[in-house]
Amino acid sequence: MKNILPIEAKNITVAYGSFVLLKDISFAVKPHDIFIIMGGSGCGKSSLLRVLTDLMPPAHGDVFIDGVNFTKADTIEKNILMQKSGILYQSGALFSSMTLAENIALPLQQYTSYSAQTIRELVALKLALVGLAGFEDFYPSEISGGMKKRAGLARALALDPEIVYFDEPSAGLDPLSSKRLDDLIIDINQTLGTTIVVVTHELSSIFDIGTNSIFLDGASKSIIARGNPKTLLKNPPNETVYEFLTRGKHHAQRTP
C-alpha cells in the first residue's frame, strides 16, 4: 500500500461566478476506499466531482492525486495523472455511432502504442470483466440501460486506472440492474484494488458499497459528516444527516 493518499482535496471552494456551492472544504480518500460523496439535491456533489476530475477548476484550493498537485499541474503532468483515473458518467457517455468495442478501444488507441490485435484482446477482456463478453459488435442503442452503464465502466477501466469515479451510477436503472452494478463496483474494488469515488444519493448503494464518505450540506456549503455510512446511521452527528440516511423515517427508533 502506498504511503501517499490517492486523492486529497485541500481548502476547495466550488463556485459558478459569484454563486458559491461549497466553501473551503478538505477531505482525503484512502487507498482502496469506496468513497461516497453524498448529500441532498443541489448541495454540489456532481460539481465537486467535476473539480476532482479537472472538468472545472476550483474557485480556490487544490486537488492532489498521488501526492501531486493536480490543480496546478502543467498539461503534460495532468495527462499522466489523468491516465491513472477512469470516469463513469451518469449516462454511460458512449458514442452512439460506435460499437462497444470501438468505444472501449478509444483510450487505448489514444494513450498507448499497443497493436490493433492487443487492443482487441484488451477490449474483450474489459467487456468480460463487466459481464459483457460477446457484445463487442453491439451498438449502444441495441443494449439495455444497465448494460450501457457496464460498457461505460469497461471503457473507464480500459487503462487499468488506480482510481475510478462514478457520477450517480444508479441513475435511470431498475433496482436489479442497480444492485448488479453495485456488486460489480465491489468486485472491482476488491479484486483489482481500485480506489473508487462515487457520487450518489441512493441509500441502497451508499450502505451496500460505501467504506467511507463525506456528507455535503447545501445550507452551510460545507462537509457536516464524514466516515463509514453505516457508522453515521448508527451515530448520526446531526439531524440533517439522520434525515437523509433514513429518508425521514423511523424517528422512533433513534436513540436520544
Side-chain angles (χ1 to χ4, degrees):
M1 183 178 294
K2 297 181 179 179
N3 293 322
I4 55 177
L5 294 165
I7 305 168
E8 286 185 275
K10 295 185 177 181
N11 307 116
I12 295 292
T13 293
V14 180
Y16 292 90
S18 61
F19 178 69
V20 176
L21 269 174
L22 296 165
K23 186 175 181 180
D24 200 29
I25 66 169
S26 298
F27 62 91
V29 179
K30 297 176 182 177
H32 315 314
D33 260 352
I34 300 181
F35 190 90
I36 306 294
I37 299 174
M38 59 181 172
S41 297
C43 68
K45 300 186 298 295
S46 290
S47 294
L48 176 58
L49 187 67
R50 290 173 62 84
V51 168
L52 294 177
T53 55
D54 200 45
L55 292 176
M56 68 177 282
H60 181 265
D62 299 287
V63 175
F64 291 80
I65 305 293
D66 281 347
V68 178
N69 191 324
F70 186 45
T71 305
K72 291 185 170 62
D74 60 31
T75 301
I76 294 174
E77 199 167 31
K78 274 191 177 180
N79 282 335
I80 293 170
L81 290 170
M82 287 173 70
Q83 290 178 51
K84 296 182 178 183
S85 303
I87 306 174
L88 177 61
Y89 300 98
Q90 283 191 37
S91 64
L94 298 170
F95 291 100
S96 60
S97 61
M98 295 181 175
T99 64
L100 301 191
E102 291 168 339
N103 268 280
I104 296 159
L106 277 177
L108 292 164
Q109 293 165 343
Q110 183 174 1
Y111 293 110
T112 76
S113 56
Y114 294 148
S115 68
Q117 177 61 31
T118 298
I119 288 176
R120 282 193 295 272
E121 292 171 357
L122 288 171
V123 166
L125 178 64
K126 300 306 178 183
L127 282 171
L129 182 65
V130 300
L132 290 175
F135 283 84
E136 287 84 352
D137 296 328
F138 281 66
Y139 286 88
S141 61
E142 297 175 319
I143 59 177
S144 69
M147 294 169 75
K148 288 176 186 176
K149 290 287 181 82
R150 284 187 278 146
L153 178 54
R155 187 176 60 187
L157 294 171
L159 296 173
D160 297 320
E162 298 174 15
I163 305 166
V164 178
Y165 300 93
F166 292 78
D167 187 10
E168 298 283 4
S170 299
L173 298 184
D174 61 84
L176 181 58
S177 296
S178 179
K179 177 65 166 58
R180 286 174 176 164
L181 186 57
D182 284 346
D183 290 343
L184 185 56
I185 290 171
I186 293 171
D187 188 48
I188 289 167
N189 171 256
Q190 293 180 348
T191 59
L192 302 181
T194 309
T195 300
I196 291 172
V197 178
V198 183
V199 166
T200 185
H201 66 278
E202 295 288 344
L203 287 184
S204 57
S205 294
I206 288 170
F207 292 127
D208 286 348
I209 70 175
T211 62
N212 201 357
S213 71
I214 54 173
F215 188 97
L216 304 180
D217 177 54
S220 63
K221 307 181 189 301
S222 65
I223 297 170
I224 60 171
R226 46 183 99 216
N228 186 294
K230 292 178 181 176
T231 302
L232 293 178
L233 178 62
K234 290 179 181 177
N235 300 290
N238 52 63
E239 193 66 22
T240 299
V241 173
Y242 180 71
E243 287 278 342
F244 179 89
L245 293 178
T246 63
R247 293 295 192 262
K249 301 175 182 178
H250 311 304
H251 288 274
Q253 296 181 14
R254 186 177 182 185
T255 302

